[in-house]
Amino acid sequence: MKRALALTLALLGAALAGGREAGPIQAMPMNHAAMNHSMQDMNAMMLAELRPLRGQAFDTKWTELMTQHHQMALAMAQYELKNGTDARVKANAQQVLSAQQREIEQMQGWLRAWGAPAPMDMSSHMTVTRSGSQSADRWFLTEMIPHHQGAVDMAKLALTRTKNAELLKLAQNIIKTQSAEIALYQQWLKAVK
């Protein structure tokens, strides 16, 4: 558990560095319960950072954090594409990769327009590994559930904190698509070994 939390804090520290370069961050082998707990901790820390903000300060920080959150999902999806065997899960990982890459590009465009620095690319500083006997497919599904839930929670907060029409539209889309994927992943976990 402590190793999982250390990884989460390292990832979050890199995320909060706001564009400063960092060395490679390698995921340590950890059990599923520890990873889920650390993902929940990271999500809670991001929400805590966003809650006191309003207006442009909120929009900028939300966009930076959501960009980095999406970049973590890219690394997880790439791992599934490389190591997974279930055609449904791999197809979904490709969809996650495509959709979130488009959203990252959109958010980076907003940051440029607002004169804010682009956040560090988390996916280039993260190596995904897993331990234990679960398949890559099952790993992807179980880790994406709390990851998506974090994005949904951040998007719900955006609905109450921003007046930016584009950001509101993206937040609504994240809530809709990632909530549906959470339900799908929970269903698939009943059959995926």
Side-chain angles (χ1 to χ4, degrees):
M1 184 79 69
K2 288 180 184 176
R3 292 177 70 176
L5 184 56
L7 170 63
T8 299
L9 295 175
L11 287 172
L12 188 58
L16 299 178
R20 292 190 308 243
E21 284 300 313
I25 299 169
Q26 295 188 345
M28 297 175 232
M30 60 191 70
N31 67 39
H32 168 66
M35 180 70 173
N36 267 340
H37 182 72
S38 64
M39 187 71 69
Q40 291 166 352
D41 289 344
M42 182 185 69
N43 292 336
M45 291 170 76
M46 287 181 165
L47 284 170
E49 185 173 353
L50 290 169
R51 279 193 184 101
L53 302 176
R54 299 277 190 278
Q56 188 62 47
F58 176 87
D59 294 351
T60 301
K61 182 52 71 176
W62 185 92
T63 302
E64 291 170 354
L65 292 176
M66 188 63 77
T67 297
Q68 292 167 332
H69 200 266
H70 275 22
Q71 289 167 342
M72 289 181 233
L74 295 183
M76 294 164 71
Q78 289 165 343
Y79 182 86
E80 168 59 22
L81 289 172
K82 182 178 177 185
N83 299 288
T85 58
D86 186 291
R88 296 171 305 176
V89 179
K90 287 182 79 162
N92 177 265
Q94 184 59 58
Q95 290 171 350
V96 166
L97 199 66
S98 298
Q100 293 201 14
Q101 185 58 52
R102 278 192 309 273
E103 291 175 359
I104 287 169
E105 291 168 7
Q106 179 183 26
M107 291 186 289
Q108 288 174 335
W110 296 345
L111 291 170
R112 281 190 302 274
W114 299 335
M120 180 179 64
D121 183 352
M122 293 299 295
S123 61
S124 66
H125 295 280
M126 192 166 112
T127 301
V128 177
T129 61
R130 66 181 171 81
S131 65
S133 60
Q134 71 178 349
S135 70
D137 302 311
R138 188 165 186 83
W139 177 87
F140 177 76
L141 296 173
T142 57
E143 302 313 325
M144 285 302 289
I145 289 171
H147 191 271
H148 272 4
Q149 188 59 56
V152 168
D153 293 345
M154 286 173 63
K156 286 179 178 178
L157 183 61
L159 298 180
T160 68
R161 295 293 199 284
T162 186
K163 304 243 186 278
N164 182 301
E166 289 182 292
L167 197 149
L168 282 169
K169 184 177 177 183
L170 177 59
Q172 290 165 341
N173 184 59
I174 288 170
I175 293 166
K176 179 182 174 185
T177 59
Q178 294 193 25
S179 293
E181 284 182 334
I182 289 169
L184 184 64
Y185 297 164
Q186 290 168 333
Q187 186 65 34
W188 284 351
L189 277 171
K190 294 175 184 174
V192 172
K193 301 292 181 205

